[in-house]
Amino acid sequence: SCSNTKATDQSTNQSKLNVVTTFLPITLFTEAVAGECATVTALIPPNLGPHDFQATPADIAALGKATVLVKNGLGMEYFLDKLTKSANNSLLQVIDSSLGVTVIISDAGTDGDKDNDLNYGEVNPHIWLDPLRAVQQVENIRDGLVKADPDCTEGYTQRSAAYVALLKGLNTTIATQLKPFQGQTFIAFHDFAPYFAERYGLKADFVVDVPEMN
């Protein structure tokens, strides 16, 4: 009896969609949509960001076995092109969660140097910090998972709807709490907060934009 149960569990795990995500927000969005329909593995540990990422052979192996890769997009994961090429997985389906999201031009350096940790190009990639843009990301992830795994369409659709409701509720709560501060400025370390600031009528300034003193 125990042996049969174990075999069934292994069969179920093998039948699940194998999904790799990049960093924490994308992992959380994907896990919320995937539920029991997919096994979700993050490339980047939750205590690290994309600029701290150092790929290992295990990461390349994970991408080589994956069916789906979910990314933020907009140049946030500037390391992915080389990594996916090394994985040599022609069947890998990539879900770009930024598709269709209205973007903000970055105030940080825009010289296109992808080796600079805080320089992603002209478009600011931190879209998930606006809950309503995050809604679009979740819906893109849902659509990509449905395409990759149509048999679980109902599950992906129901779970994404529930998560979208949470994000919209979060937006309402934040908007209410920050309404008295509209038009005021807050300081951040680097150019990560424009989407949050725009959504709630705030102004964001950044330490990296402060000129050096002579």
Side-chain angles (χ1 to χ4, degrees):
S1 174
C2 291
S3 176
N4 289 340
T5 301
K6 184 176 182 180
T8 300
D9 289 343
Q10 289 176 340
S11 176
T12 300
N13 288 334
Q14 290 173 355
S15 67
K16 287 185 177 182
L17 193 67
N18 187 355
V19 180
V20 171
T21 56
T22 51
F23 63 109
L24 185 60
I26 305 306
T27 301
L28 294 176
F29 295 165
T30 304
E31 288 176 340
V33 177
E36 72 279 2
C37 291
T39 299
V40 179
T41 304
L43 281 177
I44 303 175
N47 61 324
L48 296 179
H51 13 280
D52 304 309
F53 178 66
Q54 296 291 330
T56 67
D59 297 320
I60 296 173
L63 285 171
K65 297 176 182 177
T67 305
V68 174
L69 169 65
V70 187
K71 66 178 183 177
N72 180 77
L74 302 176
M76 190 73 188
E77 302 96 335
Y78 51 87
F79 52 83
L80 276 182
D81 287 345
K82 292 180 180 178
L83 200 58
T84 52
K85 185 176 180 179
S86 298
N88 194 29
N89 181 353
S90 61
L91 300 178
L92 185 66
Q93 301 178 49
V94 179
I95 300 174
D96 184 342
S97 68
S98 71
L99 291 178
V101 176
T102 302
V103 298
I104 295 174
I105 300 302
S106 178
D107 289 332
T110 57
D111 60 11
D113 180 5
K114 297 300 183 181
D115 293 326
N116 184 335
D117 288 345
L118 300 181
N119 187 355
Y120 306 97
E122 293 186 357
V123 175
N124 191 299
H126 301 84
I127 52 177
W128 70 90
L129 291 174
D130 170 5
L132 297 188
R133 284 179 168 92
V135 164
Q136 293 178 268
Q137 292 187 275
V138 169
E139 291 174 343
N140 283 333
I141 292 169
R142 174 203 63 202
D143 293 345
L145 293 180
V146 166
K147 182 179 178 181
D149 182 23
D151 289 343
C152 216
T153 295
E154 183 177 359
Y156 295 138
T157 302
Q158 290 178 350
R159 284 185 292 272
S160 65
Y163 201 74
V164 162
L166 289 175
L167 288 171
K168 289 182 176 179
L170 176 63
N171 173 66
T172 299
T173 299
I174 296 174
T176 300
Q177 293 176 342
L178 292 182
K179 187 175 182 179
F181 305 100
Q182 285 190 0
Q184 296 191 28
T185 301
F186 65 94
I187 304 297
F189 173 66
H190 70 91
D191 191 20
F192 71 83
Y195 295 100
F196 183 88
E198 180 190 74
R199 177 60 61 192
Y200 301 112
L202 304 171
K203 298 177 183 178
D205 209 344
F206 316 102
V207 173
V208 293
D209 288 341
V210 176
E212 293 182 359
M213 301 296 292
N214 293 327

